[in-house]
C-alpha cells in the first residue's frame, strides 16, 4: 500500500470511530440500568441477564465505583445462591423481589481466595427475581434496608 493511502486510511480509522470516553453518554447505550434508590441516589448497574454474564458477574474486577453495580436478573423468582469465588473486591449483595423491594442483604461480603469450590455461599430466606451487587459498605451508606423499594426498568 502506498504511504499516502496508508496515512489516509489511518486518519479515517482514528477519527471515524467513537471516542473511548463515555462522558455524557446515555447509560442505556452503554448497557447500564439506572436504579433509583429510596433516598434519590442513582446507581448505574451493569446487567447480568444471560447465563454467561450471571456466571461471570464481577469476577476478576479490581474496583467498583461507588455509583456502579451489577444487577442480576432471572426469569423466575428463587432463593438464588451467590458466592465470591474469583471476586477480588468485597461486595454488598442485595436480593430483590418482583415488586422491586429488598428482601435480604449480605453486607461487606469478603473475597474468597480458595482455589477449590469451597467458598461460602450466600442465600436469602425468600425468593428473589433480582440481585444487586454494590461495593462493600454502599448499602449502609445509602441507608438501604429490608423493605426498601428500588426503581428500575429492565430493557
Amino acid at each position: 500500500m502506498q504511504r499516502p493511502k496508508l496515512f489516509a486510511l489511518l486518519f479515517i480509522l482514528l477519527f471515524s470511530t467513537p471516542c473511548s470516553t463515555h462522558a455524557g453518554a446515555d447509560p442505556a447505550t452503554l448497557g447500564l440500568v439506572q436504579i433509583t434508590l429510596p433516598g434519590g441516589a442513582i446507581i448505574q448497574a451493569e446487567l447480568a441477564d444471560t447465563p454467561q454474564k450471571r456466571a461471570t458477574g464481577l469476577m476478576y474486577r479490581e474496583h467498583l465505583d461507588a455509583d456502579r453495580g451489577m444487577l442480576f436478573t432471572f426469569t423466575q423468582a428463587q432463593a438464588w445462591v451467590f458466592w465470591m469465588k474469583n471476586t477480588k473486591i468485597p461486595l454488598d449483595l442485595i436480593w430483590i423481589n418482583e415488586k422491586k423491594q429488598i428482601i435480604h442483604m449480605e453486607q461487606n461480603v469478603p473475597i474468597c481466595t480458595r482455589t477449590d469450590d469451597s467458598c461460602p455461599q450466600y442465600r436469602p430466606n425468600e425468593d428473589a427475581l433480582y440481585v444487586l451487587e454494590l461495593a462493600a459498605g454502599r448499602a449502609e451508606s445509602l441507608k438501604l434496608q429490608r423493605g426498601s423499594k428500588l426503581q428500575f426498568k429492565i430493557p
Side-chain angles (χ1 to χ4, degrees):
M1 186 177 272
Q2 298 172 347
R3 281 192 187 262
K5 287 184 181 178
L6 178 61
F7 287 122
L9 178 62
L10 285 173
F11 180 83
I12 291 169
L13 288 173
L14 285 172
F15 294 103
S16 66
T17 55
C19 183
S20 63
T21 181
H22 299 304
D26 178 13
T29 62
L30 301 175
L32 300 175
V33 173
Q34 181 173 295
I35 302 174
T36 305
L37 306 177
I42 294 175
I43 297 292
Q44 301 293 343
E46 296 175 51
L47 195 58
D49 58 351
T50 66
Q52 177 62 38
K53 289 179 183 177
R54 287 190 291 263
T56 305
L58 291 171
M59 286 182 176
Y60 308 108
R61 302 279 181 97
E62 301 283 342
H63 178 75
L64 184 62
D65 288 339
D67 67 339
R68 293 295 175 108
M70 180 168 278
L71 182 66
F72 294 76
T73 64
F74 300 94
T75 56
Q76 67 182 61
Q78 288 185 24
W80 297 103
V81 177
F82 278 65
W83 65 348
M84 298 291 286
K85 184 175 181 183
N86 299 320
T87 304
K88 296 182 173 188
I89 49 177
L91 297 172
D92 289 341
L93 307 176
I94 303 165
W95 284 262
I96 305 162
N97 68 14
E98 67 281 351
K99 296 176 187 174
K100 299 180 182 169
Q101 291 178 301
I102 296 174
I103 59 164
H104 185 77
M105 292 192 303
E106 294 285 344
Q107 297 182 49
N108 298 302
V109 175
I111 65 170
C112 179
T113 57
R114 297 178 188 166
T115 54
D116 60 8
D117 288 343
S118 66
C119 291
Q121 296 182 350
Y122 304 91
R123 73 181 77 226
N125 293 325
E126 299 176 48
D127 290 345
L129 194 56
Y130 312 99
V131 177
L132 177 62
E133 292 183 339
L134 300 174
R138 290 298 290 149
E140 182 178 6
S141 68
L142 294 166
K143 297 180 176 36
L144 296 177
Q145 56 189 331
R146 183 178 165 84
S148 295
K149 188 164 171 83
L150 311 182
Q151 297 176 31
F152 56 89
K153 292 181 183 173
I154 302 299

